[in-house]
Amino acid sequence: MTATQADPHTDLHASLFIDRPTVADGAALWRIAKDSNALDLNSSYSYLLWCRDFAGTSAVVRDERGEPVGFVTGYVPPDRPGTLLVWQVAVDAAQRGRGLAARLLDGLTERVAAEYGLTGIETTITPGNTASERLFTSYAERHGATVERTVLFEAGDFPDGPHDPEVLYQIGPLSP
């Protein structure tokens, strides 16, 4: 893989770097997700737990003060140890348009590949979310991987009312 390593600290610009999240970052991740107006917002408690339990498979980009301005959360499913499931990707509005989401994703997958072994990534994208579609399609292109799309959850699978279907993007194989 050719990517910026997400650990140790990686300079993106003079004042930004990629790092592992800590519990202290949970509130900032929740705020960034909330302000995105695109992500399904989880409870603030879930972001705290995510930063505690899945820091090894997640990444944040920090500003010059060390505050998170973007993140990627993910986990390795127990029954698919070579796969990173990317849960959410978000960048603070003031930092968008700088390629941070792609750098975060590249850096995180490089770190996870080195620590866990990685043959592919998965994510789900709601149809019409063109920013996410472009992010993951361009990731596959940069890494010489294919993209397979299948519906993972139909609209009727969701118990909380009308919901768009979720399309599973499977990207791989990833080269070492």
Side-chain angles (χ1 to χ4, degrees):
M1 263 184 223
T2 58
T4 305
Q5 288 185 333
D7 198 36
H9 300 329
T10 302
D11 289 327
L12 298 175
H13 300 285
S15 61
L16 299 175
F17 62 93
I18 296 175
D19 196 11
R20 291 177 190 246
T22 67
V23 170
D25 297 325
L29 271 59
W30 179 84
R31 180 196 53 79
I32 293 167
K34 179 179 175 276
D35 292 349
S36 76
N37 296 318
L39 295 177
D40 287 338
L41 185 63
N42 299 299
S43 70
S44 58
Y45 175 74
S46 69
Y47 290 93
L48 294 168
L49 278 176
W50 205 280
C51 290
R52 185 191 78 163
D53 294 344
F54 297 106
T57 53
S58 299
V60 295
V61 60
R62 298 183 187 281
D63 65 12
E64 63 279 352
R65 298 178 327 272
E67 296 297 319
V69 296
F71 68 88
V72 176
T73 54
Y75 65 92
V76 175
D79 62 338
R80 293 184 315 283
T83 300
L84 174 67
L85 188 131
V86 175
W87 183 257
Q88 289 187 318
V89 179
V91 174
D92 188 83
Q95 300 291 336
R96 291 184 193 145
R98 301 173 72 180
L100 296 181
R103 300 282 301 270
L104 270 165
L105 188 57
D106 284 346
L108 175 61
T109 57
E110 184 171 303
R111 175 166 42 89
V112 172
E115 294 179 9
Y116 296 87
L118 191 62
T119 57
I121 65 171
E122 293 180 346
T123 194
T124 60
I125 301 174
T126 303
N129 183 340
T130 56
S132 288
E133 291 168 353
R134 280 194 303 258
L135 174 65
F136 286 95
T137 300
S138 67
Y139 174 89
E141 290 171 3
R142 284 192 309 279
H143 295 275
T146 61
V147 179
E148 291 185 30
R149 296 168 186 87
T150 56
V151 173
L152 181 63
F153 300 118
E154 297 284 351
D157 292 337
F158 294 90
D160 57 348
H163 198 286
D164 291 325
E166 288 292 327
V167 176
L168 176 67
Y169 280 58
Q170 294 174 294
I171 301 169
L174 301 177
S175 56

